[in-house]
Structure formats: structure tokens, C-alpha cells
Amino acid sequence: MTSCRFTRRRPLPQFAATALFATLAASSLVAADGNWSNVSANEAVTRHHALSLIGEPKFGPDFKHFDWVNPDAPKSGTIKQWQEGSFDSLNPFSIKGEAAVGLGLISETMMVTSPDEPSTEYCLLCEWVSHPADFSSVTFRLRDGAKFSDGSLITVEDVVFSLEALKKANPQYRFYYKNVVKAEATGDREITFRFDTKNNRELPLIVGQLPIISKAYWTGKKADGKPRDISSSSLEVPIGSGPYRIKSIVPGRSIVYERIADWWADDLPVMRGQYNFRTIQFEYFRSRTAAFESFKSGQIEFWRENTAKSWATEYTFPAVTNGLVQRQRIKTGGVAPMVGFAFNLRREKFQDVRVRKALALAFNFEAINETLLFSQYFRTDSYFDNSELASTGLPTGAELAHLEAVRDMVPAELFTTEFKVPVGGDDRAHRPNLAAAFRLLQAAGWKRQGRLLRNDKGETLKVELLLGTPTFERHGQRYLADVKRLGVDASIRIVDSAQYERKRQNFDYDMTVVGFGQSLSPGNEQRFYWGSQTADQAGSRNAMGIKNPAIDKLIDAIIFSKDRADLVAATRALDRLLLWNHYLVPMWHYPFERFAYWDKFAHPEKFPSLNPSYIRTWWVDPEKEKKLAQAQR
């Protein structure tokens, strides 16, 4: 199960993201032997302060604060960051328009994920949560005093409205909460969500991730007298329930968030010591180069580096050498995201798996890693890399049983051959991969005529790689150089962020770079990634257009797994099937976060194990800020 907010917690699973880990049951819900059928009805209605899909929550009901925060961190100062592209909307719940970065800071959910515990959530808007042993519903009691930024209390009616409005407005929510059919008041400040299925162990947790929005606001009218529409883009400043409100915007250029001085959740253990910046500012730039120059001059203060070359070569300016700018590399845990060059199967040329496999064989990771990535990266060879969920060897046991159930719908070699990503290197080492790729293309009906491959209709095999940022341009050029050697008419097209978002939403591309963040407890989000029902749904995360009944069955096997062992087996089976269908060309991953920042910030000694969570846990040190200001004069 993947968290569903942007920046802080995205509305639905997205690239790179930080997607992260939802949960299933608190300590009293987990039987000693891990067998859910042994949990009694009395235990199933116990009220819980936290839920966990894997073992018990680390912190009990009487905890004072998390151990990865400084509970006495000052609430002051500003952090200035950058974002590439532009924005034309302040509505994060619509697929229309390009929403501004950071909007997750202004809204809250029933429960909040822990970046230090795989698959664990703690009550936030709720005081407690409970569900029956068959997972047919979940009940929350709203926390007394929880309120929106306009001062109005959050009510059961707001919660009911949130589910109905978000499912109606956005297909992402509609699919993610597909099995949540009703929300209703069942007591004083209590609300129960009813499910149309039983034994989906993750449903109580994904309901905990539902953003709670104001019914009064979204059913009201704008300043011009027109009714608000949650399904449309808008630059009207919305209200929320989070620690920040929007202070100011310059459409397309900047957005500033200010801390709510008397935020209702400040003194809760689940929020103590968090969100310590008085102001969070994002400046938009059209290019990384311009943004980095701004960082070097001190106008941007915090930089997340995602380019190996830049990390190795660009931090030689005076502020680094004299210590005014600090650099830090922080280890991260959890499942490595699958990032790759995705094929759009809605295009006829990619419906033949031999074409997809051929283009995958042309990718020379070893050469790219050495020449462009400074040998810093690791090849990704699983959709659940760096975890027990990744498939290895040949299928056996429970995993094999899941695959046997769909044997007639999966590649036969899946049962007899271990999946391996191709290994390249110098030209001599990569030559066998290109030869094998060429044979596959010929078998698929593409014959070389002159420089190019053509089919019996005389059509040229053309492939355009669509990018919304130059970040992967050099890597794409190196990859497509080998693709061209096969006779493919290959090219790269870079468009601005707004155009890229429109094309992505409408699947208007041959290939593009995609990323899928995973948790250690996959679940309903798998439908939105690769479920057949989402393939033709504009705005879905099914970038490849996968319509595979075997995959649909394995997704259900994951969602309705009876215990952890069954979940792992079903996920490995899904991983294996995704890999053998060559829906994308796996790229690479890096198990660290790289930061550079002007030396005015401080952080707790302990970083959360899954995500550094700097917005949640760092703060401005007044003494450092003073010394920095003196040094910059």
C-alpha cells in the first residue's frame, strides 16, 4: 500500500515519490502465529491509536513524541526551495491543470504515516480507529478540536463529503477507493466506512489516508459568485486543516506557505517537533541551470540533488569550500522505486512483446553508469527491488501456486527461466545484446530497408521518447543511439511541464520516463498502476496501458492475501509477470538522498529510516542563521 499525497503525502501513488507506507493492524490485532483467522471478534473491535501491516507499531498509545524529532525545535525561519516548470492551479484534487508544489502541507488525513516504520500509521484527525475481524468496515472517532484553517471544526459531514466528492471528481480517488462504498455517521463524532468486500486487510489503512476537505467551502461560492468545482483547476486559495496556509502566490512563478501559529495539532504526540519552518517558499524555474545559479548565490537555500554528475562535479563554488554550504548524503530504506523508459502499449507497434524486449536489450546500463552516472547507481531488476517482495530464481511454493492459476495467460519461459536484465558494457560486450535485439525485431516483422526498419505495410519503426525535463536527456540520447543502430527511427522530444502533464494525462507519447514508488505492503494502488480498468482512464498511473487478465488476478491475490507470507508470494508472482512482459526498460536506483544547503539548518541526530523527511523534522537554528548572515555581508 502506498501513501497518497503530493510533497508531504500525495493524493495518490505517483512517481518518485515518496509514496509510501500504509498499514493494517495494531498489536492487539495480530495473532501470535501471524494467522489472521485466529483473531477473535472481541479483538477486532478494539480501539487503536495506530495500525501496522507488519508487526506492532513502535510507539504505544501513551507516547509523547516520535524518537526521530526534536520536540523542542523552534518554530521559526524560512526554507527556500525550487521547483522546475510552472503551475496554474491550487487545487490538488483535480486532474485538470498543473497543481502547485507543496499543497499537501495545507490539508490533513485521518491518519499519518511514519517515515521510520514500514507500513505504519498513527491517528491524527481521529482519536482512535477500529475495524471488525473480517475487514468489512472501519470506524474512526474524530479528534475533538480538529479544525480547518478558517477556524471551523471538522465534522462527520465533512468526512462523508470528502469521500463522495473526491471519488466523483478524480478517477484516481475513484479507483483507489473503489471498494469503499459508503461513509456514514454512527455515533458522536464517529464515522464508519463500509466496504463492498471482506478480507481486504489494507482498506482500513487507505481510508486513513483520505484527505478530509471542507464541505462548506467546496459547496460554497467563489468571490465572483460562481459555485466552486472540485474537479476543476483554480487559483483561488483553498482552506485546509494542515500546519500551513498559502500566504502568497505569483502564478507560475512562486508559492509561499506560512505556518499557522495556533495549529490545532501542534501539541499532539503524533505532530510534536514537526513542521518547524515558519515559512516554506518555492520558486519556479524553467531550467535546473538557472535554479542552481540561484542556489549558489543564496537565493535558494536547500537543494535536493538528483544528478550524479552534478553531485560529483558542480559543488566547487566558494560557499562550499568555505563551509557556508553543507552537503549531506543520507541512507534511505524501503523498496527501491522502479524507474524506467515506459512503452505505451496503446500504440500498435508496442503491442508485440518481441519489439519491447528488443528495445530493452538495446539499453546499455553499464556504459551509461560509467560514462554519465559516475558509477554511483545500481541497476533495478525488480518492481520491488531491495525488498523481500522481489522475485528471484524460479517460482516455487506459494508463488508458483499463484502463477499456476494463470499459467495459460503468462509467458511460458516464466516457469523455466530466471528473469535477468541484460548486461552490457563496452561495444564488444554489448554487441550480443544488439544482435539478439535485431533478431527479435525481424521475427516481429520489421525488416531493414536501407538504414531503417520497415514492416510489410512500408511503415517505418519510429520511436519518440517524450520528456518533461532535461534531467534524463543525456541518458536518453545514449540509449537511443543504440536503438538507432538497430534501424529504429528514434528521437527525443522535450516539452514544457504544462504540455508534458497534458500529454501524460492523455497518454500521448510513444515512450516516456515513469516511476513507481512501492511500499513493503502493496495493495489497492496496484490496480491503478497496472489494472486493466485503468488503462483507458485519462490521468491514471497505468502509463503503459496494461490490459492483462493474469495481472488483474494477481493484483486481487495481493489485495486479499490471507497473511504476510501469502502477500509476499503473490507480490513476487506479480513482479515476475511484469518483468517478463517487458512493459518498460528498467533504469537504476540510488539508495541515498543527497542534500546541499546553506548552513542555517539543524536536524535531529536520528533520521527516519525510510525517508529523511526534512520538511517534517528539520528547523532553522537561530545562531547558525545569524552567523551565516554575517558571513554573507
Side-chain angles (χ1 to χ4, degrees):
M1 166 177 203
T2 304
S3 174
C4 51
R5 290 270 202 104
F6 289 94
T7 297
R8 199 158 63 99
R9 292 182 300 277
R10 297 192 172 198
L12 275 170
Q14 290 279 349
F15 171 37
T18 60
L20 300 189
F21 311 111
T23 50
L24 166 63
S27 57
S28 60
L29 284 182
V30 181
D33 62 359
N35 188 340
W36 287 93
S37 63
N38 291 342
V39 179
S40 72
N42 288 336
E43 289 177 314
V45 295
T46 302
R47 296 172 178 177
H48 304 282
H49 75 292
L51 302 176
S52 177
L53 273 172
I54 304 175
E56 302 180 6
K58 180 178 180 180
F59 298 91
D62 298 323
F63 81 107
K64 303 303 180 184
H65 59 80
F66 294 120
D67 63 2
W68 38 267
V69 303
N70 172 10
D72 301 316
K75 300 288 192 291
S76 64
T78 297
I79 181 171
K80 299 177 182 178
Q81 303 174 86
W82 79 288
Q83 182 73 11
E84 189 169 10
S86 183
F87 72 93
D88 59 9
S89 178
L90 299 179
N91 179 7
F93 308 117
S94 172
I95 65 172
K96 299 176 181 177
E98 190 171 7
V101 66
L103 290 172
L105 294 165
I106 69 174
S107 60
E108 280 303 349
T109 53
M110 282 291 191
M111 307 184 77
V112 62
T113 58
S114 168
D116 193 49
E117 301 172 71
S119 303
T120 303
E121 290 181 358
Y122 290 82
C123 280
L124 179 55
L125 285 176
C126 59
E127 294 177 355
W128 52 258
V129 56
S130 68
H131 61 76
D134 64 0
F135 303 95
S136 58
S137 66
V138 63
T139 299
F140 299 92
R141 179 178 174 86
L142 281 173
R143 192 179 294 276
D144 189 19
K147 59 186 179 181
F148 293 109
S149 55
D150 66 351
S152 61
L153 291 176
I154 298 173
T155 68
V156 168
E157 289 72 23
D158 292 312
V159 180
V160 174
F161 173 78
S162 298
L163 177 68
E164 296 172 348
L166 293 175
K167 287 181 70 174
K168 183 178 180 181
N170 190 318
Q172 299 184 14
Y173 288 104
R174 190 155 57 248
F175 280 102
Y176 198 54
Y177 293 101
K178 174 184 177 181
N179 297 119
V180 185
V181 294
K182 187 178 183 181
E184 59 184 343
T186 51
D188 180 29
R189 300 203 316 276
E190 291 183 17
I191 182 167
T192 297
F193 293 81
R194 310 288 183 187
F195 308 147
D196 65 359
T197 186
K198 296 180 180 180
N199 300 316
N200 183 336
R201 300 177 299 139
E202 125 178 286
L203 282 175
L205 283 305
I206 69 168
V207 172
Q209 298 176 351
L210 180 73
I212 305 305
I213 58 179
S214 169
K215 179 179 180 180
Y217 174 83
W218 284 107
T219 58
K221 295 182 179 180
K222 297 183 290 186
D224 61 7
K226 296 180 180 179
R228 295 188 177 96
D229 179 5
I230 196 171
S231 66
S232 298
S233 63
S234 172
L235 284 172
E236 182 183 26
V237 175
I239 67 169
S241 56
Y244 291 86
R245 61 166 62 96
I246 296 174
K247 179 180 181 180
S248 63
I249 66 165
V250 178
R253 296 181 59 185
S254 68
I255 183 166
V256 180
Y257 298 90
E258 64 178 352
R259 187 72 155 72
I260 296 174
D262 56 348
W263 185 43
W264 64 270
D266 266 335
D267 294 326
L268 296 179
V270 75
M271 280 295 150
R272 192 164 291 140
Q274 299 178 56
Y275 301 108
N276 304 308
F277 300 113
R278 183 72 68 191
T279 305
I280 299 176
Q281 181 173 330
F282 292 95
E283 295 291 330
Y284 277 78
F285 291 82
R286 295 293 183 181
S287 71
R288 180 197 178 280
T289 300
F292 196 68
E293 289 301 315
S294 186
F295 172 67
K296 289 162 64 175
S297 69
Q299 297 176 60
I300 300 299
E301 302 169 321
F302 195 95
W303 189 273
R304 297 180 68 181
E305 185 57 72
N306 63 358
T307 305
K309 178 183 178 182
S310 298
W311 187 253
T313 65
E314 293 186 7
Y315 291 85
T316 57
F317 53 95
V320 174
T321 56
N322 64 26
L324 297 182
V325 168
Q326 298 292 316
R327 295 204 297 165
Q328 198 157 7
R329 193 179 73 152
I330 303 171
K331 185 81 165 66
T332 58
V335 184
M338 169 59 87
V339 180
F341 296 107
F343 302 109
N344 186 357
L345 272 67
R346 301 169 188 86
R347 304 285 169 91
E348 183 179 357
K349 57 195 168 191
F350 294 128
Q351 291 173 11
D352 192 321
V353 68
R354 293 170 295 186
V355 172
R356 305 196 300 270
K357 184 177 181 180
L359 296 180
L361 280 165
F363 181 65
N364 191 346
F365 165 73
E366 286 70 24
I368 290 175
N369 195 32
E370 180 180 355
T371 60
L372 300 179
L373 301 175
F374 292 79
S375 300
Q376 294 184 24
Y377 287 80
F378 301 90
R379 183 74 190 273
T380 304
D381 59 4
S382 167
Y383 284 77
F384 302 88
D385 210 334
N386 196 39
S387 78
E388 65 173 339
L389 302 171
S391 59
T392 58
L394 296 178
T396 59
E399 180 192 353
L400 178 60
H402 281 297
L403 291 168
E404 287 286 3
V406 293
R407 177 180 277 273
D408 294 341
M409 297 181 282
V410 304
E413 59 264 47
L414 178 151
F415 294 95
T416 60
T417 307
E418 181 180 6
F419 182 87
K420 295 282 189 180
V421 293
V423 177
D426 58 24
D427 284 345
R428 183 176 180 179
H430 190 46
R431 195 174 299 133
N433 293 335
L434 293 177
F438 187 71
R439 290 193 296 270
L440 282 169
L441 291 171
Q442 285 187 311
W446 296 96
K447 310 298 182 183
R448 186 184 286 274
Q449 298 181 21
R451 293 186 307 105
L452 300 175
L453 292 172
R454 301 181 188 276
N455 59 17
D456 292 340
K457 301 177 183 177
E459 298 169 332
T460 301
L461 181 55
K462 294 183 178 181
V463 174
E464 181 184 81
L465 174 61
L466 179 71
L467 300 176
T469 169
T471 300
F472 291 108
E473 182 180 12
R474 292 183 307 132
H475 318 92
Q477 288 174 339
R478 177 64 179 81
Y479 168 42
L480 293 188
D482 280 328
V483 171
K484 290 178 180 179
R485 291 170 66 182
L486 298 173
V488 179
D489 185 3
S491 61
I492 291 179
R493 183 182 181 189
I494 302 177
V495 298
D496 62 51
S497 59
Q499 187 178 2
Y500 179 80
E501 185 63 16
R502 288 194 298 271
K503 286 181 171 292
R504 187 193 67 79
Q505 294 277 357
N506 295 297
F507 312 118
D508 184 15
Y509 49 80
D510 285 343
M511 295 178 67
T512 191
V513 175
V514 298
F516 299 96
Q518 297 282 5
S519 78
L520 290 171
S521 299
N524 281 30
E525 74 285 347
Q526 305 303 307
R527 289 173 173 164
F528 206 64
Y529 284 169
W530 4 86
S532 296
Q533 291 185 355
T534 64
D536 298 321
Q537 176 63 63
S540 85
R541 291 286 292 130
N542 192 341
M544 290 86 87
I546 298 171
K547 293 182 180 179
N548 188 320
I551 286 177
D552 294 334
K553 288 181 178 294
L554 290 176
I555 291 172
D556 283 344
I558 291 171
I559 292 172
F560 296 103
S561 55
K562 62 182 182 296
D563 53 32
R564 178 68 186 175
D566 191 37
L567 173 70
V568 171
T571 304
R572 289 175 178 174
L574 173 64
D575 181 42
R576 199 178 298 274
L577 188 51
L578 289 168
L579 291 169
W580 273 105
N581 275 286
H582 301 282
Y583 292 124
L584 54 68
V585 181
M587 292 167 65
W588 51 79
H589 63 274
Y590 184 70
F592 295 90
E593 286 270 15
R594 294 168 293 206
F595 298 115
Y597 51 90
W598 286 83
D599 192 20
K600 72 175 200 176
F601 302 106
H603 56 73
E605 291 185 9
K606 175 184 178 180
F607 291 110
S609 59
L610 302 176
N611 188 312
S613 299
Y614 65 95
I615 289 293
R616 286 177 71 169
T617 63
W618 292 34
W619 66 92
V620 172
D621 184 310
E623 289 301 317
K624 286 186 174 183
E625 186 175 35
K626 182 178 179 180
K627 290 180 181 179
L628 179 62
Q630 291 173 344
Q632 289 176 312
R633 289 174 184 161

